[in-house]
Amino acid sequence: MVHCLVLAYPAQGHINPMHYFSKLLQQKGVRVTFVTTFSFCKKLQNVPASISLETISDGFDKGGVDEAGSYKSYFERFWQVGPKSLGDLLERVGRSGEGVDCVIYDSAFPWALEVAKRLEIAGAAFLTQNMFVNSIYYHVHQGKLSLPITQNEISLPFLPKLQHQDMPTFFFPTDANNAALLDLLLSQFSNIHKADWILCNSLYHMEKELTDWTMKIWSNLRTIGPCSTSMLLNKRLRDDEDEGDVTQFKDEECMKWLDDKPKQCVVYVSFGSMGVVKEEQIKEVAYGLRDSESYFLWTMRASEENKLPKDFEKRSEKGLVVRWCSQVKVLAHEAIGCFVTHCGWNSVLEALSLGVPMLAMPCWSDQYTNAKLIADVWNLGIRAEVDDKNIVRGQVLKHCIMEIMKSERGKKVKRNAMEFKALAEHAISEEGKSHKNTVEFLNSLAGSTENNQSAGNGKINSC
Ligand code: UDP
């Protein structure tokens, strides 16, 4: 049996796609060991018993990056202790007779490839961003796009023309944290050419020309997305054990609340698992939702709640604010008509693969590039305009919601979103690119396993 060790960066937007990909592998007959840091592991719920869970140290075993106090200190220490911790784990697993055939590592950990190579184990980089964003960082890493950006318009092969407002925010560093994050993102490409496989959580047909062009540089690049929605989309893979995402408890309340609402009448709002939204912006969103003619469901972390206006009702006939929900299940609910999103890549991929139009309100990182793609390239939504303080005003939000939910333009976007949903469904079907790519990847591992075993039972199930 092929055994993959899947190493995920300790953040929701990385854990989710890699965990779903692990489940997919496990359903295809692969033995999976899922690994993250001690501190993040404590937050994991709902990991199926069939997937073994292991931890490595990042040097801050109590509280991860919060304990470190800054990304700079966090990465410095993690990069010192992580490789040894991973090496020890691989050796321990090897001694127990369950040797690992491939380390599928988050591309944020280029050192994991060096560890795997030293132990003569195959290494597969897992890219959690889309190919457009990967390409931007790759060009900066290669020195083909210089920072700071001085030109008004940025042209890169097979990308739309980009303005400053479409670029990842880390290119305009404001503090040491942003600089540390930029280093991390660029370092993904330091040794990726040595990886045995490069797997990207994206859809080939959405980024076809760029993916084909990149495959001339990295011939072992394969798109395998969408990961988080594959269980929902593919009836063959439906998993009764599936409890949604892995890091939080189920939230039955919002599903019940949605059940009472008419079709496509609820606006779902989320700014993701990490971003910190300015208080002024939260207030404007609150007033925009209150004044809009739609129902709304807003998921907001506890640490953000005190930014809501004092007179704003968190629970009413019209709206519900929850601390967390299973986003893929919410987006799949027929009551949802629009997603006000910060444009984190997982959120975008989840919305488009479930046919939900988006209202883009990017906050930081590559979310600005994703917003550009949503509005101007894929026509999957609209980007809310900001004022000169970089705030989307409540009236603007209200108008945009009307536009998506009620106008002719909104209907076109919805039709387009449904076409993307069909693309996603096809990608993970037996004839689809993502499915075939995953099987090709696994068969290559099974082939190596067979070569190392006298009894060749390493074949991969096709579903
Ligand atoms: N998510 C969720 N429930 C929530 C908010 C977010 O399940 O209430 C999930 C969402 O489905 C996605 C991930 O958290 O898979 C967030 O990743 P994304 O890349 O969208 O944004 P990030 O949190 O990394 O900024």
Side-chain angles (χ1 to χ4, degrees):
M1 188 188 243
V2 171
H3 183 185
C4 291
L5 183 140
V6 178
L7 173 64
Y9 180 88
Q12 188 82 39
H14 294 245
I15 295 276
N16 273 10
M18 295 192 81
H19 166 252
Y20 276 104
F21 189 59
S22 299
K23 284 180 81 165
L24 196 74
L25 297 187
Q26 187 253 322
Q27 293 198 343
K28 288 180 189 300
V30 174
R31 175 167 165 64
V32 178
T33 301
F34 191 81
V35 184
T36 190
T37 57
F38 284 120
S39 58
F40 205 89
C41 192
K42 290 179 213 143
K43 299 184 196 169
L44 296 186
Q45 320 279 339
N46 309 325
V47 177
S50 46
I51 292 182
S52 321
L53 196 54
E54 289 283 353
T55 50
I56 59 165
S57 177
D58 53 8
F60 297 97
D61 293 340
K62 286 201 192 99
V65 69
D66 293 337
E67 187 187 344
S70 75
Y71 280 110
K72 190 168 181 299
S73 329
Y74 183 61
F75 297 144
E76 270 168 16
R77 181 102 186 100
F78 196 167
W79 273 216
Q80 277 164 11
V81 303
K84 171 152 184 1
S85 193
L86 176 64
D88 290 349
L89 172 63
L90 285 166
E91 277 168 349
R92 178 161 58 79
V93 173
R95 277 197 303 276
S96 71
E98 297 176 345
V100 171
D101 299 296
C102 182
V103 175
I104 304 175
Y105 65 96
D106 194 309
S107 56
F109 297 139
W111 46 260
L113 180 63
E114 309 298 338
V115 176
K117 292 277 158 197
R118 178 168 56 76
L119 297 171
E120 297 180 0
I121 299 171
F126 188 101
L127 295 162
T128 55
Q129 311 301 342
N130 59 62
M131 285 308 298
F132 286 112
V133 168
N134 290 323
S135 185
I136 294 174
Y137 285 125
Y138 171 73
H139 279 89
V140 174
H141 180 264
Q142 294 296 102
K144 292 181 180 159
L145 175 63
S146 307
L147 300 182
I149 294 175
T150 47
Q151 64 274 46
N152 290 332
E153 197 169 69
I154 299 103
S155 297
L156 294 171
F158 299 101
L159 264 79
K161 298 260 185 285
L162 299 167
Q163 320 283 318
H164 283 202
Q165 56 159 6
D166 309 320
M167 298 306 271
T169 49
F170 305 132
F171 292 172
F172 312 99
T174 47
D175 58 25
N177 256 339
N178 274 3
L181 286 163
L182 177 61
D183 285 347
L184 173 85
L185 290 160
L186 298 182
S187 74
Q188 298 178 92
F189 303 105
S190 57
N191 61 358
I192 201 161
H193 57 283
K194 295 191 207 153
D196 296 283
W197 288 92
I198 303 172
L199 309 173
C200 179
N201 182 23
S202 190
L203 285 176
Y204 173 75
H205 286 99
M206 285 169 60
E207 308 185 279
K208 188 172 179 307
E209 286 80 17
L210 176 61
T211 306
D212 287 341
W213 180 80
T214 314
M215 283 175 72
K216 292 187 186 137
I217 307 169
W218 306 326
S219 57
N220 50 3
L221 167 70
R222 298 291 184 273
T223 50
I224 43 85
C227 291
S228 321
T229 45
S230 53
M231 300 285 161
L232 274 178
L233 288 177
N234 193 336
K235 309 289 175 291
R236 288 177 307 125
L237 296 175
R238 194 172 285 285
D239 181 354
D240 293 338
E241 276 178 64
D242 184 21
E243 302 288 352
D245 76 280
V246 263
T247 51
Q248 308 287 332
F249 290 109
K250 293 189 270 187
D251 191 337
E252 298 288 359
E253 186 192 6
C254 54
M255 297 311 286
K256 284 207 186 97
W257 187 85
L258 284 173
D259 285 343
D260 290 342
K261 303 293 172 279
K263 273 188 188 171
Q264 291 179 29
C265 281
V266 179
V267 178
Y268 170 62
V269 186
S270 168
F271 294 103
S273 64
M274 297 172 83
V276 177
V277 183
K278 280 190 207 153
E279 186 166 338
E280 191 177 359
Q281 183 62 85
I282 297 266
K283 289 199 158 54
E284 290 295 333
V285 172
Y287 293 133
L289 291 172
R290 189 195 58 191
D291 296 345
S292 79
E293 288 167 21
S294 300
Y295 296 102
F296 64 87
L297 170 64
W298 188 350
T299 161
M300 171 183 279
R301 299 195 310 286
S303 54
E304 298 281 279
E305 265 176 11
N306 60 355
K307 298 177 185 171
L308 282 169
K310 295 282 167 288
D311 59 346
F312 184 77
E313 281 186 79
K314 284 198 267 181
R315 205 168 291 262
S316 67
E317 177 48 28
K318 182 170 183 190
L320 178 66
V321 180
V322 293
R323 290 192 172 164
W324 194 262
C325 65
S326 175
Q327 182 165 294
V328 287
K329 289 189 176 168
V330 165
L331 287 171
H333 198 288
E334 59 181 13
I336 300 295
C338 157
F339 180 14
V340 175
T341 173
H342 71 311
C343 306
W345 179 236
N346 293 289
S347 294
V348 175
L349 202 50
E350 289 160 14
L352 72 87
S353 56
L354 294 167
V356 180
M358 284 170 269
L359 176 43
M361 283 187 58
C363 301
W364 75 320
S365 183
D366 58 353
Q367 294 156 15
Y368 285 84
T369 317
N370 295 337
K372 165 81 180 168
L373 297 168
I374 291 168
D376 297 342
V377 177
W378 296 323
N379 191 24
L380 287 168
I382 53 182
R383 184 169 178 166
E385 261 192 52
V386 290
D387 67 4
D388 48 10
K389 283 177 76 187
N390 207 23
I391 299 285
V392 175
R393 293 295 158 195
Q395 282 305 312
V396 174
L397 184 77
K398 180 184 158 190
H399 174 78
C400 290
I401 290 174
M402 286 277 284
E403 183 88 354
I404 292 203
M405 305 282 271
K406 310 247 156 68
S407 76
E408 273 312 305
R409 180 178 174 198
K411 283 187 192 139
K412 264 195 204 151
V413 169
K414 176 69 187 173
R415 278 198 295 276
N416 199 36
M418 293 309 288
E419 282 176 24
F420 274 74
K421 179 176 188 229
L423 266 187
E425 276 167 352
H426 183 260
I428 54 166
S429 71
E430 243 167 274
E431 304 74 42
K433 198 80 174 159
S434 296
H435 173 81
K436 286 184 179 166
N437 285 344
T438 306
V439 171
E440 182 193 358
F441 161 63
L442 291 179
N443 279 339
S444 82
L445 299 181
S448 327
T449 309
E450 275 181 26
N451 290 340
N452 294 334
Q453 289 174 352
S454 44
N457 64 345
K459 268 280 166 231
I460 298 301
N461 304 335
S462 70
C463 68

